[in-house]
Amino acid sequence: MAVVSQPFDRAATCSAPAAPDLELGEFWEDDPWTIAFRHNLSGFERNRTFLNLGNRRFADISYLTGSDSDGDGRSVVAADFRGNGQMDLLVRQVGGGPLLLFENHFPMQSYLKVSLRGSKSNSLGIGARLTVVLGDRRLVRELYPSNTFHSQAASFVHFGLADRDTVDKLIVRWPSGTVHELTDLDGDRHIVIDEAGGTISTVQPGTMIPTGRDE
């Protein structure tokens, strides 16, 4: 544990107010800007995974899932790596092995994966707002691929539908201002929506998704 002594004096230094407790791994640091060079604190942080219990409650399931690796994780990507509709996690580490893949083994439920093919908007529909209506529930997602240190997620939106196998309505608000409302969509598939005509096509696993523009 590092404790930064403040405030600084005129020379930007400050004596430690007490002796560090070595049993706790404490050390005193006058200059916080050089901690990363002299004491690599991030290398001692274990990864954490939290399960959403609803009503703003979360459970720490890091140990149960084996995801509490001490390999100094630096980036994470959530994607359906096995093509079964469940989002897995790929973690890149500095130590303890370069890559860790955590497979999602929660009970299978329905889903809808959506990619966009823009025309007036950008080709991938980045910035679009998608809303799924399931009875009295509304799920809202914005298409901004997650970027972390040395990683980037794919440009699609994943909706978990729980025990519903159809979507009552999907509303797509494109960056250009165009709005499409699609009703009675079957779940458990990956679809592509074309901005030009609002048409839908189903993606077959392992196939490329054309952008609709000349490369």
Side-chain angles (χ1 to χ4, degrees), residues 63-133:
Y63 177 76
L64 294 176
T65 60
S67 62
D68 59 338
S69 167
D70 60 356
D72 197 4
R74 293 301 179 96
S75 61
V76 60
V77 172
D80 181 9
F81 290 102
R82 296 171 294 160
N84 63 354
Q86 291 184 301
M87 298 294 278
D88 308 304
L89 292 178
L90 183 66
V91 179
R92 180 180 181 273
Q93 302 189 120
V94 172
L99 293 174
L100 291 175
L101 176 61
F102 296 99
E103 296 181 351
N104 185 345
H105 290 291
F106 280 96
M108 293 286 293
Q109 293 190 303
S110 296
Y111 70 96
L112 181 66
K113 187 187 299 184
V114 183
S115 294
L116 301 179
R117 183 188 296 136
S119 52
K120 293 181 181 180
S121 305
N122 58 82
S123 61
L124 296 177
I126 303 298
R129 184 181 180 90
L130 293 84
T131 303
V132 156
V133 179

